[in-house]
Amino acid sequence: MTDQQTVDPEVLIALAENERKTLIERTPQWLLVLLFGAAVVTVWHMAVTYSGISQLVLPGPYQVLQDLIFTLNNLFTGGYVAHATWITLVEVVFGFLLASAIGLTLGMIIGATTFGRKAIMPYVVAINTMPKVAFAPLFVAWFGFGIESKIMMAAFISFFPVTINTAAGLAATDSNMSMLFKSLEANRWQTLIKLQMPYATPYIFAGLKLAAVWSVIGVVVGEYMGGGEGLGELVRVAASQLRVGRVFAQILLLSLMGLSVFGFVTLLERYFVRWRR
Amino acid sequence: MHDVRSDGDAILRLDNVNKHYRRARSGQADIIHAAKDVSFELERGQMASLVGASGCGKSTVLKMIAGLIPPTGGEITLRGEALTGPNEHIGIMFQQPTLLPWRSVMENVLLPIEIREGRKAANAARERATQLLEMAGLAEFASAVPSELSGGMAQRAAICRMLVTQPEILLLDEPFGALDEFTREQMNVEFERICRSREATAIIVTHSIQEAIFLADSVFVMSPRPGRIVKRIDIDLPRPRTPDMITGNRFNEYVREIHDLLFGSGEGASHD
Ligand SMILES: Nc1ncnc2c1ncn2[C@@H]1O[C@H](COP(=O)(O)OP(=O)(O)OP(=O)(O)O)[C@@H](O)[C@H]1O
Ligand SMILES: [Mg+2]
């Protein structure tokens, strides 16, 4: 919308002047990303070619590309990589969902009740300070070599950010809004559902995004420890055979997986927190 | 209606009400006396304004009447019965609009009904809410979200939210503070009309002496902290009030009287 139909050309000149940007600011982001990536690959290629490092230890970009093509080809033709990706994806998704459920419940108990905040919170914090990865062998012992142990490990590693963010979000409720609800004689449940939870959604989603990334880590740790048929196991085997290119390609798949879950949570966030712009 | 204990038709009565706050964090003896021996009573349909310096305890008095914070002394009675907490007969509008940012203006206005009577009742009250929004000049913003409103528009929406449940007693904390002079005058006229048509009892906290006089049957002037009511000034102007009264002589005498009470008559400021 314009305020007037005819705009004074001098205004346009002045506007353009105000909006003048540097070369970097004007360049589209994708181009910058590509340029920087190309630079890194060039340096990598030079380093591998001229430093005399064995290709077994650090393969050059071309070797990695070949491994990547092989891996992707295998993935899309339904080979063993596809199977492993599917297994790991299932573990990640269930691990993430479990972490979200535990995190939301615990976070609500901690954030909405004084008892939770005083009595339960310290335990949650204590658990978080432990190196949780160290529990992996126990999870294998408890839940076996199947996907269950990986799901549990993923949930265990990633429930914490959801818990803390939910609790913090509930506690952050604007005190004036709490007064409003009090004046309307809202009961505790109404206050939680109609005020505190909506108020906490930006916090909760920040926690869920962390959990999305951490559940991939949890699953991989679980697979390193407990074997199975997932991508983590493929990585472990490829590394033991010193096929570094393969390892890179498979790790790339893992990060794409993390990125997908992350992206999905971001989409949900856009929908639920659209009032926040 | 009539009660043995209450004298006359007083619907609301404050009897030596006090409020002390403990200031968080600092030493244990650090107690603020925010309201001191506040006593007054209002009859049904009466409108009162509360004026006083910033920080003298006006919001505190309103919150106590709304049952949101307990007094540390004295008693508040509603139709002769001691007030123990919030109740449906009293509606309060806070100094900040406190609209829920994830709800549209309409959903915000309907919130009190939704909480008290459920979603169905809230939907049924849409028409009433629309009328209120029209009155406040917000009809076309019913589906807007609060972040799209200006400060004054948000305040007007908050007034609609308070009015939608038709409480008998209205408590307003600087309701028109963010409005320009012109809109403010319109809202004053409109607000008076609503209160009269509902026979609502109202207490309005305001920083504007003119507004205090324009709206009220009685103006309560508070002293700086600890806030006491230093004087009750009954405003003897005909109702409904009209904007041209503001320039009248009687009106200006009231302005001078309240001004002198607030700022002191002899000291420095006003030489005639
Ligand atoms: N929750 C609280 N805890 C401690 N002190 C408080 C609290 N609320 C208010 N006070 C203090 O009580 C005094 C009165 O506050 P109040 O908000 O009632 O003032 P007010 O008259 O409404 O001021 P204003 O016109 O600026 O809104 C102030 O000195 C304030 O610091
Ligand atoms: Mg105040």
Side-chain angles (χ1 to χ4, degrees), chain B residues 58-60 95 173-174 205:
Chain B
K58 305 181 294 295
S59 299
T60 300
Q95 208 162 345
D173 202 343
E174 296 184 34
V205 167

Side-chain angles (χ1 to χ4, degrees), chain B residues 114-210:
Chain B
E114 188 179 320
I115 285 182
R116 288 224 158 89
E117 301 162 46
R119 218 176 260 275
K120 243 190 205 156
N123 272 327
R126 255 165 204 274
E127 204 169 316
R128 191 165 9 127
T130 308
Q131 282 170 5
L132 282 170
L133 288 173
E134 261 163 26
M135 176 275 296
L138 290 173
E140 49 196 307
F141 291 92
S143 54
V145 288
S147 59
E148 294 164 358
L149 303 183
S150 72
M153 289 159 80
Q155 274 189 322
R156 283 182 272 154
I159 294 177
C160 296
R161 178 179 61 194
M162 176 190 64
L163 290 173
V164 79
T165 50
Q166 311 192 315
E168 292 170 74
I169 297 183
L170 306 174
L171 308 172
L172 298 93
D173 202 343
E174 296 184 34
F176 310 119
L179 300 184
D180 62 277
E181 199 67 29
F182 178 70
T183 318
R184 188 176 185 140
E185 209 169 274
Q186 282 185 319
M187 289 300 289
N188 281 343
V189 172
E190 199 58 38
F191 183 70
E192 194 213 351
R193 192 184 61 76
I194 288 178
C195 287
R196 277 162 52 85
S197 70
R198 293 184 180 182
E199 273 193 86
T201 312
I203 304 179
I204 303 112
V205 167
T206 171
H207 275 153
S208 155
I209 298 178
Q210 270 85 2

Side-chain angles (χ1 to χ4, degrees), chain A residues 98-139:
Chain A
L98 191 58
S100 309
I102 297 172
L104 277 172
T105 312
L106 258 182
M108 275 160 74
I109 294 171
I110 292 172
T113 70
T114 311
F115 179 82
R117 178 169 52 81
K118 284 185 159 174
I120 302 178
M121 180 70 167
Y123 287 100
V124 176
V125 173
I127 289 176
N128 189 52
T129 57
M130 300 173 186
K132 290 193 281 295
V133 176
F135 284 85
L138 265 186
F139 276 73

Side-chain angles (χ1 to χ4, degrees), chain B residues 14 16-23 29-40 50-64 69-73 205 221-230:
Chain B
L14 276 74
N16 281 311
V17 171
N18 278 271
K19 180 65 191 180
H20 301 78
Y21 287 111
R22 198 189 294 280
R23 196 179 289 174
D30 201 359
I31 284 174
I32 295 175
H33 199 170
K36 188 181 175 195
D37 299 333
V38 175
S39 304
F40 62 79
L50 208 53
V51 293
S54 176
C56 74
K58 305 181 294 295
S59 299
T60 300
V61 170
L62 280 203
K63 283 176 188 165
M64 286 193 288
I69 51 176
T72 46
V205 167
V221 182
M222 283 181 82
S223 70
R225 220 178 58 223
R228 307 174 285 113
I229 290 178
V230 282

Side-chain angles (χ1 to χ4, degrees), chain A residues 174 176-177 179-187 190 194-196 198-199 272 275-277, chain B residues 63 68 86-88 92 94 96 98-103 111-112 114-116 119 147 161:
Chain A
D174 182 84
N176 284 309
M177 293 184 187
M179 278 253 183
L180 170 72
F181 272 66
K182 196 176 169 193
S183 81
L184 298 175
E185 295 174 277
N187 60 36
Q190 288 174 317
K194 292 186 198 288
L195 174 62
Q196 291 182 288
Y199 198 90
F272 279 107
W275 50 270
R276 229 197 178 190
R277 269 176 307 160
Chain B
K63 283 176 188 165
L68 293 172
N87 72 76
E88 59 189 325
I92 183 168
F94 299 99
Q96 293 79 19
T98 53
L99 300 173
L100 307 184
W102 52 88
R103 283 174 168 245
L111 179 76
E114 188 179 320
I115 285 182
R116 288 224 158 89
R119 218 176 260 275
S147 59
R161 178 179 61 194

